Amino acid sequence: QVQLVESGGGLVQAGGSLRLSCAASGRTFSSYAMGWFRQAPGKEREFVAAISWRGISKGYADSVKGRLTISRDNAKNTVALQMNSLKPEDTAVYYCAASPARYYTTRRDDYDYWGQGTQVTVSS
């Protein structure tokens, strides 16, 4: 069982930066691949970024490549999403998720545990 709590969302102007953090409980955090997804109003939840259990492999959606960076600290049971050069289209609720797949996966169905989400709003 893994419980996830996101933080760090907020309101930022276009071009600005935010850093999202996800704190995980459970002794097996380091054995899970971790991912970030987002859901904008009226749209389906979509993949943003993911990282393998050791943090060696990472994957990103094309829309965020070069602007967002995922990282993890297994000693602290945390995963972060550094968001730079934000755009209004990045506005969404961002969710942290854990997958037992170990190697990163972009598939929403591969993730068993989800946080409550944190709102990110980018104004133009």
Side-chain angles (χ1 to χ4, degrees):
Q1 186 83 4
V2 178
Q3 293 183 324
L4 305 170
V5 179
E6 303 96 335
S7 62
L11 173 64
V12 65
Q13 288 189 331
S17 298
L18 280 174
R19 184 176 179 85
L20 305 184
S21 184
C22 174
S25 63
R27 295 175 295 174
T28 59
F29 169 78
S30 61
S31 66
Y32 285 82
M34 298 297 297
W36 286 95
F37 289 75
R38 67 186 181 188
Q39 187 167 17
K43 294 188 177 182
E44 290 195 358
R45 193 171 299 187
E46 64 176 3
F47 168 76
V48 175
I51 189 167
S52 63
W53 64 303
R54 290 187 186 180
I56 296 174
S57 299
K58 303 176 184 180
Y60 297 93
D62 288 343
S63 59
V64 306
K65 280 181 181 176
R67 300 188 297 117
L68 275 58
T69 303
I70 189 171
S71 61
R72 68 187 296 163
D73 186 335
N74 286 344
K76 296 182 178 179
N77 279 15
T78 59
V79 61
L81 186 67
Q82 178 65 42
M83 309 169 69
N84 298 328
S85 302
L86 284 163
K87 304 175 181 180
E89 50 264 44
D90 293 318
T91 295
V93 177
Y94 283 71
Y95 297 90
C96 174
S99 168
R102 291 205 171 191
Y103 296 98
Y104 83 83
T105 172
T106 65
R107 285 165 35 90
R108 190 173 60 187
D109 290 346
D110 288 339
Y111 290 83
D112 292 345
Y113 302 103
W114 294 83
Q116 300 276 50
T118 185
Q119 177 71 47
V120 171
T121 303
V122 184
S123 63
S124 57

